[in-house]
Amino acid sequence: MHTILYPTKDKWEGITGRPHIDASQLCENVSAILSEIRKRGDEAVKEYEEMFDGIRPEQLAVTEKEMAEAERLVSPELAEAIATAHHNIRKFHESQRFTGNKVETMPGVECWQKSVPIEKVGLYVPGGTAPLFSTVLMLATPAKIAGCRDIIMCTPPARDGKINPAILVAARIAGVSRIYKAGGVQAIGAMAYGTETVPKVYKIFGPGNQYVMAAKQQVGIADVAIDMPAGPSEVCVVADASATPEFIAADLLSQAEHGTDSQVLLITTDRHLISNVEKEIKQQLENLPRKEFAEKALDNSKAVLVETLDEAMELVNAYAPEHLIIQTENYNETAEKVINAGSVFLGKYACESAGDYASGTNHTLPTHGYATAYSGVNLDSYCRKITFQHLSEQGVRSIGRAVEIMAAAEQLDGHKNAMTVRIEHINR
Amino acid sequence: MHTILYPTKDKWEGITGRPHIDASQLCENVSAILSEIRKRGDEAVKEYEEMFDGIRPEQLAVTEKEMAEAERLVSPELAEAIATAHHNIRKFHESQRFTGNKVETMPGVECWQKSVPIEKVGLYVPGGTAPLFSTVLMLATPAKIAGCRDIIMCTPPARDGKINPAILVAARIAGVSRIYKAGGVQAIGAMAYGTETVPKVYKIFGPGNQYVMAAKQQVGIADVAIDMPAGPSEVCVVADASATPEFIAADLLSQAEHGTDSQVLLITTDRHLISNVEKEIKQQLENLPRKEFAEKALDNSKAVLVETLDEAMELVNAYAPEHLIIQTENYNETAEKVINAGSVFLGKYACESAGDYASGTNHTLPTHGYATAYSGVNLDSYCRKITFQHLSEQGVRSIGRAVEIMAAAEQLDGHKNAMTVRIEHINR
């Protein structure tokens, strides 16, 4: 870790900066694949599966037989852990249900919002060495609570043509309607445009590598909504002298093991804490299977010493971290100062992995500074708020004249006339 | 209007289809302008202003003197109408304030959401012949309620270098922090990247022509959030025999006058209504200043006769209109069937122009079928929901084991270890 002592504000940009992600080089390749999927549907999806995942799926849809087999293959211990996590994610996201009020803005003018689920959503779950069944829970559980009619999921098969059983079990528990064996750009294209087998959806959710991200960006311009832009995962820990170095080291390492591009930042008011955390990191690193990733990520990570917790929080807000862990004595007070962050973990026991898996909060969060403008995935991500209004005769009397005057001033006489014919009608 | 009688479902796609918008031809021009703004800031903004708006602003920021002058120029009648509209928009959007609950998902595990305003937002208000001061109210009022710290606005000056006084008055009433004389792609670029004068924002809102839309799409990929994708404005009217043809004609015309690409759709269960509406349209059209626009838009519009209101609503949901007017006897019952729409107007007195200006609902709404996945602008558009969590020792006992098992199964031992060190700590 680079240690930075009492940086002046002109140094902050260097601390909060992220590596530039240039997806433009991928654009052409990604466009070409998307265009093939659009034109040739299932056949193109299968071809790209063979090319990129080394297996041509006989059929894209996962069968009931495969689902049943998966249930047998997952250990009872893991199934129970998944059920616990699902319980908590469901409980927290159910608490986010919207209840709107009718508002009478003026006599006879009633306005209200109604939350209506997006009918068709598509979830993308990456493949690779580790099966991300926790992502299945995070994306599908709120979709089910929202009441989305079609919840489809795409995930690439392994070389043996199968999908990891934990992914299938999590999908069943969380309420996914249908699962398809497709990964990468071809999966995003299939969900954005629809194929013979894969239905077109209205919104696509989920993480992925830079190709998946570039594909989501391209289809997200005009074809389909997407959850949010993405970048490498990040954690920022704010700590004072009361914090436990062992915990902080473990938290930093849990982020660092994601990959060499992971962003790790420690901000503290306590000089000794930095060296104590570094000692702990060295020790814990020895036992970490993904040691190599973690070491490289730590090379790029920073420990920053600041004068006060207020300054620490100012730096946090300039950084806008995906995950923010606050291990200070008065963490509730510190937390009041959060403006830009995806998800915040308070106190010494709330490690990031609690929220990554099982506390109930969502782990699909804005990275790369996008927390300045985006929320993490939540129940609202699967709904639209539709506005309704009703005017009585009295309502026309309340706002009719204002509408006429404003429409005329905007030179939209048709707009004015739509109100005028009503005013005349009730005055007849 | 084209009349379509009892179309079978295979004909629906032809009815609900929108004209294809291909912004790709604009892409290069738009990219080039954005790139110049990024590189050369204010100087480039001024150059493009001279090129496209025919005037090189001496300074971009609107002065206090110009604000004061505007207040003198707006008629008391219009100022009062703007104040009425602002009152209602504020009242409705204030009712959308979020109050979250702390949820204990398991003993000792507390999760909650907090709604936090986006710090810096940029509003774009187009120029042109008609001053869209209503858009200023619609975009700035919720930003102010949300508590956004910097609410900046860009709008192009007229050839005399001035901004329409109604726009400035609306901006002051609604709470805009600073106003800049910039339009088109250069305005979007200035807000996305920041210049010497115009601050960089985190999210850009507002309508515009195809160049503005293309610019928003480009900066929206990774630089800044945007409100939503956009297309030509639309209205769909659902009516039965109880509806008033005079009102429907006025509503269709109020949409049609927007421009030749406006989308207008009437769906009814009553055959006679169609001819009666057509007669009314002919008559009302005579007195409409924007008759030429409206006539062309009506050429592309459709009146569809269906068997039942259920079928009508099924067709509505397939179309996903920006504005939906329901003029049926039991409009509340009909409204229950709305799945895809931006904003819904119920009964014979709720004309679209009521919501366009003064009822209190927002008029920045998803067009082009985007209502399937996007909400119109509302208070949430200016906020993020940040999640927080706290675990006590008991909380670690509640979910610790599940986290360990899941992290191990995803082969993320660092994640597992962050929980393990805490479990061991409390068991010591």
Side-chain angles (χ1 to χ4, degrees), chain A residues 105 130 134 251 254 257 331 339-340 343-344 346 348 353 357 359 370-371 375 380 384-385 387 389-390 410 414-415 422, chain B residues 105 130 134 222 251 254 257 331 339-340 343-346 348 353 359 371 375 380 384-385 387 389-390 410 414-415 422:
Chain A
T105 54
S134 62
D251 293 341
S254 77
E257 77 172 343
Y331 48 79
I339 299 173
N340 297 322
S343 195
V344 186
L346 298 177
K348 58 181 175 181
S353 49
Y357 290 110
S359 64
Y370 295 122
S375 306
D380 278 347
R384 293 144 303 143
K385 304 253 174 78
T387 48
Q389 65 197 284
H390 177 263
E410 286 193 356
H415 285 61
R422 279 146 169 117
Chain B
T105 54
S134 63
D251 293 341
S254 77
E257 76 173 343
Y331 50 79
I339 299 173
N340 297 322
S343 194
V344 186
F345 301 75
L346 298 177
K348 57 182 175 181
S353 47
S359 64
S375 307
D380 278 347
R384 295 142 302 144
K385 305 251 174 81
T387 48
Q389 65 198 284
H390 177 262
E410 287 193 353
H415 285 61
R422 280 146 169 117

Short mmCIF file of all heavy atoms in Angstrom, two decimals, chain A residues 105 130 134 251 254 257 331 339-340 343-344 346 348 353 357 359 370-371 375 380 384-385 387 389-390 410 414-415 422, chain B residues 105 130 134 222 251 254 257 331 339-340 343-346 348 353 359 371 375 380 384-385 387 389-390 410 414-415 422:
data_model
loop_
_atom_site.label_atom_id
_atom_site.label_comp_id
_atom_site.label_asym_id
_atom_site.label_seq_id
_atom_site.Cartn_x
_atom_site.Cartn_y
_atom_site.Cartn_z
N THR A 105 -53.49 18.88 -5.30
CA THR A 105 -52.59 20.02 -5.41
C THR A 105 -53.36 21.34 -5.35
O THR A 105 -52.87 22.33 -4.81
CB THR A 105 -51.75 19.96 -6.70
OG1 THR A 105 -52.64 19.82 -7.81
CG2 THR A 105 -50.79 18.79 -6.67
N ALA A 130 -15.41 -19.15 -10.53
CA ALA A 130 -16.25 -19.17 -9.33
C ALA A 130 -17.72 -18.95 -9.73
O ALA A 130 -18.00 -18.05 -10.51
CB ALA A 130 -15.81 -18.07 -8.37
N SER A 134 -24.50 -15.84 -5.58
CA SER A 134 -24.98 -14.72 -4.76
C SER A 134 -25.56 -13.61 -5.65
O SER A 134 -26.53 -12.95 -5.29
CB SER A 134 -23.86 -14.17 -3.88
OG SER A 134 -22.80 -13.66 -4.66
N ASP A 251 -10.82 -6.82 5.64
CA ASP A 251 -11.75 -6.14 4.73
C ASP A 251 -11.04 -5.68 3.46
O ASP A 251 -11.56 -5.81 2.35
CB ASP A 251 -12.38 -4.93 5.43
CG ASP A 251 -13.30 -5.36 6.57
OD1 ASP A 251 -13.72 -6.54 6.58
OD2 ASP A 251 -13.60 -4.53 7.45
N SER A 254 -10.33 -8.68 1.33
CA SER A 254 -11.51 -9.28 0.69
C SER A 254 -11.85 -8.52 -0.59
O SER A 254 -12.36 -9.08 -1.55
CB SER A 254 -12.70 -9.33 1.65
OG SER A 254 -13.31 -8.06 1.77
N GLU A 257 -8.86 -9.31 -3.34
CA GLU A 257 -8.81 -10.62 -4.00
C GLU A 257 -9.68 -10.69 -5.25
O GLU A 257 -9.60 -11.63 -6.03
CB GLU A 257 -9.20 -11.74 -3.02
CG GLU A 257 -10.69 -11.84 -2.76
CD GLU A 257 -11.07 -13.08 -1.94
OE1 GLU A 257 -10.26 -14.01 -1.84
OE2 GLU A 257 -12.19 -13.09 -1.40
N TYR A 331 -19.63 5.81 14.92
CA TYR A 331 -19.85 5.56 13.49
C TYR A 331 -21.18 6.13 12.99
O TYR A 331 -21.30 6.52 11.84
CB TYR A 331 -19.73 4.07 13.17
CG TYR A 331 -20.51 3.16 14.08
CD1 TYR A 331 -21.87 3.00 13.92
CD2 TYR A 331 -19.88 2.46 15.10
CE1 TYR A 331 -22.59 2.15 14.77
CE2 TYR A 331 -20.58 1.63 15.94
CZ TYR A 331 -21.94 1.47 15.77
OH TYR A 331 -22.65 0.66 16.61
N ILE A 339 -22.27 11.42 1.64
CA ILE A 339 -23.04 11.96 0.51
C ILE A 339 -22.93 11.04 -0.70
O ILE A 339 -23.91 10.74 -1.35
CB ILE A 339 -22.55 13.39 0.14
CG1 ILE A 339 -22.75 14.35 1.32
CG2 ILE A 339 -23.33 13.91 -1.07
CD1 ILE A 339 -22.15 15.73 1.10
N ASN A 340 -21.72 10.59 -0.98
CA ASN A 340 -21.50 9.76 -2.16
C ASN A 340 -20.92 8.39 -1.80
O ASN A 340 -19.75 8.28 -1.45
CB ASN A 340 -20.56 10.47 -3.14
CG ASN A 340 -21.14 11.76 -3.67
OD1 ASN A 340 -22.35 11.84 -3.93
ND2 ASN A 340 -20.32 12.77 -3.82
N SER A 343 -22.91 1.57 -0.80
CA SER A 343 -23.45 0.91 0.38
C SER A 343 -22.48 1.13 1.54
O SER A 343 -21.27 1.09 1.34
CB SER A 343 -23.64 -0.59 0.11
OG SER A 343 -24.46 -1.18 1.11
N VAL A 344 -23.04 1.37 2.71
CA VAL A 344 -22.21 1.77 3.86
C VAL A 344 -22.33 0.72 4.97
O VAL A 344 -23.42 0.25 5.29
CB VAL A 344 -22.66 3.15 4.39
CG1 VAL A 344 -21.72 3.62 5.49
CG2 VAL A 344 -22.70 4.18 3.26
N LEU A 346 -21.40 -0.14 8.90
CA LEU A 346 -21.13 0.62 10.12
C LEU A 346 -20.65 -0.25 11.28
O LEU A 346 -21.27 -1.27 11.60
CB LEU A 346 -22.40 1.36 10.55
CG LEU A 346 -22.93 2.40 9.54
CD1 LEU A 346 -24.22 3.01 10.05
CD2 LEU A 346 -21.89 3.47 9.28
N LYS A 348 -17.62 -2.27 13.79
CA LYS A 348 -16.54 -3.21 13.51
C LYS A 348 -17.01 -4.57 13.00
O LYS A 348 -16.22 -5.31 12.43
CB LYS A 348 -15.63 -3.37 14.73
CG LYS A 348 -16.28 -3.82 16.00
CD LYS A 348 -15.20 -3.87 17.08
CE LYS A 348 -15.82 -4.21 18.44
NZ LYS A 348 -14.80 -4.24 19.49
N SER A 353 -18.32 -8.37 3.33
CA SER A 353 -18.86 -9.66 2.90
C SER A 353 -20.22 -9.97 3.52
O SER A 353 -20.99 -10.75 2.96
CB SER A 353 -17.86 -10.80 3.12
OG SER A 353 -17.33 -10.76 4.42
N TYR A 357 -23.21 -11.01 0.74
CA TYR A 357 -23.90 -12.30 0.71
C TYR A 357 -25.26 -12.34 1.42
O TYR A 357 -26.24 -12.81 0.85
CB TYR A 357 -23.01 -13.39 1.33
CG TYR A 357 -21.85 -13.73 0.47
CD1 TYR A 357 -20.55 -13.39 0.83
CD2 TYR A 357 -22.05 -14.39 -0.74
CE1 TYR A 357 -19.48 -13.69 0.01
CE2 TYR A 357 -20.97 -14.69 -1.56
CZ TYR A 357 -19.70 -14.34 -1.19
OH TYR A 357 -18.65 -14.64 -2.01
N SER A 359 -26.65 -10.18 4.53
CA SER A 359 -27.33 -9.32 5.51
C SER A 359 -28.70 -8.90 5.00
O SER A 359 -29.62 -8.67 5.79
CB SER A 359 -26.47 -8.08 5.79
OG SER A 359 -26.34 -7.29 4.63
N TYR A 370 -19.57 6.37 -9.97
CA TYR A 370 -20.96 6.51 -10.40
C TYR A 370 -21.93 6.65 -9.22
O TYR A 370 -23.09 7.00 -9.40
CB TYR A 370 -21.39 5.34 -11.29
CG TYR A 370 -20.64 5.27 -12.60
CD1 TYR A 370 -19.91 4.15 -12.96
CD2 TYR A 370 -20.67 6.35 -13.48
CE1 TYR A 370 -19.21 4.10 -14.16
CE2 TYR A 370 -19.98 6.31 -14.68
CZ TYR A 370 -19.25 5.17 -15.02
OH TYR A 370 -18.56 5.13 -16.20
N ALA A 371 -21.44 6.38 -8.01
CA ALA A 371 -22.28 6.58 -6.82
C ALA A 371 -22.68 8.04 -6.65
O ALA A 371 -23.59 8.35 -5.89
CB ALA A 371 -21.56 6.07 -5.56
N SER A 375 -27.97 4.89 -7.79
CA SER A 375 -28.19 4.04 -6.63
C SER A 375 -27.76 2.62 -6.98
O SER A 375 -27.72 2.26 -8.16
CB SER A 375 -29.69 3.96 -6.28
OG SER A 375 -30.24 5.24 -6.13
N ASP A 380 -36.94 -0.45 -6.48
CA ASP A 380 -37.31 0.53 -7.51
C ASP A 380 -36.69 0.23 -8.87
O ASP A 380 -37.23 0.65 -9.90
CB ASP A 380 -36.85 1.94 -7.10
CG ASP A 380 -37.82 2.60 -6.14
OD1 ASP A 380 -38.95 2.07 -5.98
OD2 ASP A 380 -37.45 3.63 -5.56
N ARG A 384 -41.57 0.98 -12.39
CA ARG A 384 -41.68 2.36 -12.85
C ARG A 384 -42.74 3.03 -12.00
O ARG A 384 -43.70 2.39 -11.55
CB ARG A 384 -42.11 2.40 -14.30
CG ARG A 384 -41.05 1.83 -15.24
CD ARG A 384 -41.70 1.10 -16.36
NE ARG A 384 -42.56 0.05 -15.85
CZ ARG A 384 -43.72 -0.30 -16.38
NH1 ARG A 384 -44.18 0.33 -17.43
NH2 ARG A 384 -44.44 -1.29 -15.85
N LYS A 385 -42.57 4.29 -11.75
CA LYS A 385 -43.61 5.07 -11.07
C LYS A 385 -44.41 5.78 -12.16
O LYS A 385 -43.90 6.69 -12.81
CB LYS A 385 -42.97 6.11 -10.15
CG LYS A 385 -42.02 5.52 -9.11
CD LYS A 385 -42.59 5.52 -7.71
CE LYS A 385 -41.69 4.79 -6.74
NZ LYS A 385 -40.52 5.57 -6.31
N THR A 387 -47.42 8.25 -13.18
CA THR A 387 -48.27 9.28 -12.55
C THR A 387 -49.68 9.22 -13.13
O THR A 387 -49.88 8.92 -14.30
CB THR A 387 -47.69 10.69 -12.76
OG1 THR A 387 -47.35 10.87 -14.13
CG2 THR A 387 -46.45 10.90 -11.93
N GLN A 389 -53.59 11.44 -12.93
CA GLN A 389 -54.25 12.64 -12.45
C GLN A 389 -55.72 12.64 -12.83
O GLN A 389 -56.13 12.04 -13.83
CB GLN A 389 -53.58 13.90 -12.96
CG GLN A 389 -53.61 14.15 -14.43
CD GLN A 389 -52.54 15.19 -14.77
OE1 GLN A 389 -52.71 16.36 -14.54
NE2 GLN A 389 -51.43 14.71 -15.30
N HIS A 390 -56.50 13.28 -11.99
CA HIS A 390 -57.93 13.46 -12.26
C HIS A 390 -58.30 14.89 -11.95
O HIS A 390 -57.87 15.45 -10.94
CB HIS A 390 -58.77 12.51 -11.39
CG HIS A 390 -60.24 12.71 -11.60
ND1 HIS A 390 -61.01 13.48 -10.75
CD2 HIS A 390 -61.06 12.28 -12.58
CE1 HIS A 390 -62.25 13.50 -11.20
NE2 HIS A 390 -62.31 12.78 -12.30
N GLU A 410 -46.23 29.93 -24.49
CA GLU A 410 -45.30 29.01 -25.17
C GLU A 410 -45.69 28.83 -26.64
O GLU A 410 -45.17 27.94 -27.33
CB GLU A 410 -45.24 27.67 -24.43
CG GLU A 410 -44.45 27.75 -23.13
CD GLU A 410 -44.11 26.37 -22.56
OE1 GLU A 410 -44.53 25.35 -23.12
OE2 GLU A 410 -43.40 26.34 -21.53
N GLY A 414 -52.87 24.81 -29.50
CA GLY A 414 -53.61 23.56 -29.40
C GLY A 414 -53.69 23.12 -27.94
O GLY A 414 -54.73 22.64 -27.48
N HIS A 415 -52.57 23.30 -27.21
CA HIS A 415 -52.55 22.97 -25.78
C HIS A 415 -53.54 23.86 -25.03
O HIS A 415 -54.27 23.40 -24.15
CB HIS A 415 -51.15 23.17 -25.20
CG HIS A 415 -50.19 22.09 -25.58
ND1 HIS A 415 -49.83 21.84 -26.88
CD2 HIS A 415 -49.49 21.20 -24.82
CE1 HIS A 415 -48.97 20.83 -26.91
NE2 HIS A 415 -48.74 20.43 -25.67
N ARG A 422 -62.88 22.80 -22.43
CA ARG A 422 -63.42 22.28 -21.17
C ARG A 422 -63.98 23.40 -20.31
O ARG A 422 -65.03 23.26 -19.68
CB ARG A 422 -62.34 21.49 -20.42
CG ARG A 422 -62.22 20.06 -20.98
CD ARG A 422 -60.83 19.53 -20.94
NE ARG A 422 -60.77 18.11 -21.22
CZ ARG A 422 -60.13 17.60 -22.28
NH1 ARG A 422 -59.52 18.37 -23.15
NH2 ARG A 422 -60.09 16.29 -22.46
N THR B 105 -33.22 -7.72 9.60
CA THR B 105 -33.47 -8.90 8.76
C THR B 105 -33.29 -10.19 9.56
O THR B 105 -33.98 -11.18 9.32
CB THR B 105 -32.55 -8.91 7.52
OG1 THR B 105 -31.19 -8.79 7.96
CG2 THR B 105 -32.87 -7.76 6.59
N ALA B 130 -40.48 29.04 -29.40
CA ALA B 130 -41.30 29.12 -28.20
C ALA B 130 -40.44 28.94 -26.96
O ALA B 130 -39.61 28.03 -26.91
CB ALA B 130 -42.38 28.06 -28.24
N SER B 134 -42.05 26.17 -19.03
CA SER B 134 -42.69 25.08 -18.26
C SER B 134 -41.68 23.97 -17.98
O SER B 134 -41.70 23.35 -16.92
CB SER B 134 -43.91 24.53 -18.99
OG SER B 134 -43.54 23.96 -20.23
N ALA B 222 -20.69 6.85 -20.14
CA ALA B 222 -19.77 6.66 -19.02
C ALA B 222 -19.42 7.94 -18.26
O ALA B 222 -18.83 7.88 -17.20
CB ALA B 222 -18.49 5.99 -19.51
N ASP B 251 -57.60 17.23 -27.63
CA ASP B 251 -56.44 16.53 -27.05
C ASP B 251 -55.51 16.01 -28.14
O ASP B 251 -54.29 16.12 -28.04
CB ASP B 251 -56.91 15.38 -26.17
CG ASP B 251 -57.65 15.87 -24.93
OD1 ASP B 251 -57.49 17.05 -24.57
OD2 ASP B 251 -58.40 15.09 -24.33
N SER B 254 -53.69 18.92 -29.65
CA SER B 254 -52.67 19.52 -28.79
C SER B 254 -51.37 18.72 -28.88
O SER B 254 -50.28 19.27 -28.75
CB SER B 254 -53.14 19.63 -27.33
OG SER B 254 -53.08 18.38 -26.68
N GLU B 257 -49.83 19.33 -32.69
CA GLU B 257 -49.18 20.61 -33.01
C GLU B 257 -47.70 20.65 -32.64
O GLU B 257 -46.98 21.55 -33.04
CB GLU B 257 -49.91 21.79 -32.35
CG GLU B 257 -49.67 21.93 -30.87
CD GLU B 257 -50.27 23.22 -30.28
OE1 GLU B 257 -50.60 24.15 -31.02
OE2 GLU B 257 -50.42 23.25 -29.03
N TYR B 331 -63.58 5.18 -15.67
CA TYR B 331 -62.15 5.38 -15.96
C TYR B 331 -61.24 4.83 -14.87
O TYR B 331 -60.13 4.41 -15.15
CB TYR B 331 -61.84 6.85 -16.25
CG TYR B 331 -62.39 7.83 -15.24
CD1 TYR B 331 -61.76 8.04 -14.03
CD2 TYR B 331 -63.57 8.53 -15.51
CE1 TYR B 331 -62.27 8.93 -13.10
CE2 TYR B 331 -64.09 9.42 -14.58
CZ TYR B 331 -63.45 9.62 -13.38
OH TYR B 331 -63.95 10.48 -12.46
N ILE B 339 -50.37 -0.86 -17.59
CA ILE B 339 -49.06 -1.43 -17.24
C ILE B 339 -47.94 -0.55 -17.79
O ILE B 339 -46.99 -0.24 -17.10
CB ILE B 339 -48.90 -2.87 -17.77
CG1 ILE B 339 -49.96 -3.78 -17.15
CG2 ILE B 339 -47.51 -3.41 -17.45
CD1 ILE B 339 -49.99 -5.18 -17.74
N ASN B 340 -48.07 -0.13 -19.04
CA ASN B 340 -47.01 0.65 -19.68
C ASN B 340 -47.52 2.01 -20.14
O ASN B 340 -48.26 2.10 -21.13
CB ASN B 340 -46.43 -0.12 -20.88
CG ASN B 340 -45.76 -1.43 -20.47
OD1 ASN B 340 -45.11 -1.50 -19.43
ND2 ASN B 340 -45.94 -2.46 -21.25
N SER B 343 -47.57 8.91 -18.20
CA SER B 343 -48.47 9.63 -17.31
C SER B 343 -49.90 9.43 -17.82
O SER B 343 -50.14 9.42 -19.01
CB SER B 343 -48.11 11.12 -17.30
OG SER B 343 -48.76 11.78 -16.22
N VAL B 344 -50.83 9.26 -16.87
CA VAL B 344 -52.20 8.88 -17.24
C VAL B 344 -53.17 9.96 -16.79
O VAL B 344 -53.08 10.46 -15.66
CB VAL B 344 -52.58 7.53 -16.58
CG1 VAL B 344 -53.95 7.06 -17.06
CG2 VAL B 344 -51.52 6.47 -16.89
N PHE B 345 -54.09 10.33 -17.68
CA PHE B 345 -55.04 11.40 -17.45
C PHE B 345 -56.44 10.80 -17.44
O PHE B 345 -56.87 10.22 -18.43
CB PHE B 345 -54.90 12.45 -18.56
CG PHE B 345 -53.53 13.04 -18.64
CD1 PHE B 345 -52.46 12.32 -19.18
CD2 PHE B 345 -53.28 14.31 -18.15
CE1 PHE B 345 -51.18 12.85 -19.23
CE2 PHE B 345 -51.99 14.85 -18.19
CZ PHE B 345 -50.95 14.11 -18.73
N LEU B 346 -57.16 10.96 -16.32
CA LEU B 346 -58.41 10.23 -16.13
C LEU B 346 -59.64 11.14 -16.21
O LEU B 346 -59.70 12.18 -15.55
CB LEU B 346 -58.40 9.53 -14.77
CG LEU B 346 -57.30 8.48 -14.58
CD1 LEU B 346 -57.35 7.92 -13.16
CD2 LEU B 346 -57.45 7.36 -15.59
N LYS B 348 -63.00 13.17 -18.28
CA LYS B 348 -63.08 14.08 -19.42
C LYS B 348 -62.41 15.43 -19.20
O LYS B 348 -62.12 16.14 -20.15
CB LYS B 348 -64.54 14.27 -19.86
CG LYS B 348 -65.49 14.78 -18.82
CD LYS B 348 -66.89 14.84 -19.46
CE LYS B 348 -67.93 15.24 -18.42
NZ LYS B 348 -69.27 15.29 -19.01
N SER B 353 -52.75 18.88 -21.46
CA SER B 353 -52.12 20.18 -21.16
C SER B 353 -52.23 20.54 -19.68
O SER B 353 -51.43 21.33 -19.18
CB SER B 353 -52.65 21.30 -22.06
OG SER B 353 -54.05 21.29 -22.13
N SER B 359 -50.94 20.96 -13.31
CA SER B 359 -51.64 20.15 -12.30
C SER B 359 -50.71 19.75 -11.17
O SER B 359 -51.12 19.58 -10.04
CB SER B 359 -52.25 18.91 -12.95
OG SER B 359 -51.23 18.08 -13.46
N ALA B 371 -41.46 3.79 -21.88
CA ALA B 371 -42.29 3.66 -20.68
C ALA B 371 -42.34 2.21 -20.18
O ALA B 371 -42.74 1.96 -19.05
CB ALA B 371 -43.69 4.19 -20.94
N SER B 375 -39.36 5.46 -15.74
CA SER B 375 -40.34 6.37 -15.16
C SER B 375 -40.11 7.76 -15.74
O SER B 375 -39.01 8.07 -16.20
CB SER B 375 -40.15 6.48 -13.64
OG SER B 375 -40.14 5.23 -13.04
N ASP B 380 -37.32 11.08 -7.11
CA ASP B 380 -36.26 10.07 -7.07
C ASP B 380 -35.19 10.30 -8.12
O ASP B 380 -34.04 9.86 -7.95
CB ASP B 380 -36.84 8.67 -7.29
CG ASP B 380 -37.43 8.08 -6.03
OD1 ASP B 380 -37.17 8.63 -4.95
OD2 ASP B 380 -38.15 7.07 -6.13
N ARG B 384 -30.24 9.54 -4.72
CA ARG B 384 -29.81 8.15 -4.72
C ARG B 384 -30.24 7.54 -3.40
O ARG B 384 -30.27 8.21 -2.37
CB ARG B 384 -28.28 8.05 -4.85
CG ARG B 384 -27.75 8.57 -6.17
CD ARG B 384 -26.46 9.30 -5.95
NE ARG B 384 -26.63 10.39 -5.02
CZ ARG B 384 -25.72 10.75 -4.13
NH1 ARG B 384 -24.58 10.10 -4.04
NH2 ARG B 384 -25.93 11.75 -3.33
N LYS B 385 -30.57 6.26 -3.44
CA LYS B 385 -30.86 5.54 -2.21
C LYS B 385 -29.58 4.81 -1.81
O LYS B 385 -29.16 3.87 -2.50
CB LYS B 385 -31.99 4.53 -2.43
CG LYS B 385 -33.26 5.17 -2.99
CD LYS B 385 -34.37 5.21 -1.97
CE LYS B 385 -35.56 5.98 -2.51
NZ LYS B 385 -36.40 5.18 -3.41
N THR B 387 -27.64 2.43 0.78
CA THR B 387 -27.96 1.46 1.83
C THR B 387 -26.93 1.51 2.95
O THR B 387 -25.75 1.77 2.72
CB THR B 387 -28.02 0.01 1.27
OG1 THR B 387 -26.86 -0.23 0.48
CG2 THR B 387 -29.25 -0.19 0.42
N GLN B 389 -25.84 -0.58 6.77
CA GLN B 389 -26.08 -1.75 7.59
C GLN B 389 -25.21 -1.72 8.84
O GLN B 389 -24.12 -1.17 8.85
CB GLN B 389 -25.87 -3.05 6.84
CG GLN B 389 -24.49 -3.35 6.37
CD GLN B 389 -24.57 -4.42 5.29
OE1 GLN B 389 -24.78 -5.59 5.57
NE2 GLN B 389 -24.46 -3.99 4.05
N HIS B 390 -25.75 -2.30 9.88
CA HIS B 390 -25.01 -2.46 11.13
C HIS B 390 -25.21 -3.88 11.65
O HIS B 390 -26.32 -4.41 11.62
CB HIS B 390 -25.51 -1.46 12.19
CG HIS B 390 -24.83 -1.63 13.50
ND1 HIS B 390 -25.39 -2.34 14.55
CD2 HIS B 390 -23.60 -1.22 13.92
CE1 HIS B 390 -24.54 -2.34 15.58
NE2 HIS B 390 -23.46 -1.68 15.22
N GLU B 410 -18.05 -19.73 -3.43
CA GLU B 410 -17.72 -18.86 -4.57
C GLU B 410 -16.19 -18.71 -4.70
O GLU B 410 -15.73 -17.88 -5.49
CB GLU B 410 -18.39 -17.48 -4.43
CG GLU B 410 -19.89 -17.52 -4.69
CD GLU B 410 -20.52 -16.13 -4.88
OE1 GLU B 410 -19.82 -15.13 -4.68
OE2 GLU B 410 -21.71 -16.08 -5.20
N GLY B 414 -10.92 -14.61 0.86
CA GLY B 414 -10.72 -13.33 1.53
C GLY B 414 -12.05 -12.84 2.10
O GLY B 414 -12.12 -12.30 3.21
N HIS B 415 -13.12 -13.00 1.31
CA HIS B 415 -14.46 -12.62 1.78
C HIS B 415 -14.85 -13.45 3.00
O HIS B 415 -15.41 -12.94 3.96
CB HIS B 415 -15.50 -12.84 0.66
CG HIS B 415 -15.45 -11.81 -0.41
ND1 HIS B 415 -14.34 -11.59 -1.19
CD2 HIS B 415 -16.38 -10.91 -0.83
CE1 HIS B 415 -14.59 -10.61 -2.05
NE2 HIS B 415 -15.82 -10.18 -1.86
N ARG B 422 -14.02 -12.03 12.60
CA ARG B 422 -14.99 -11.45 13.52
C ARG B 422 -15.64 -12.53 14.40
O ARG B 422 -15.85 -12.32 15.60
CB ARG B 422 -16.05 -10.66 12.75
CG ARG B 422 -15.51 -9.26 12.36
CD ARG B 422 -16.03 -8.77 11.05
NE ARG B 422 -15.73 -7.36 10.84
CZ ARG B 422 -14.95 -6.90 9.87
NH1 ARG B 422 -14.36 -7.73 9.03
NH2 ARG B 422 -14.75 -5.59 9.73
#
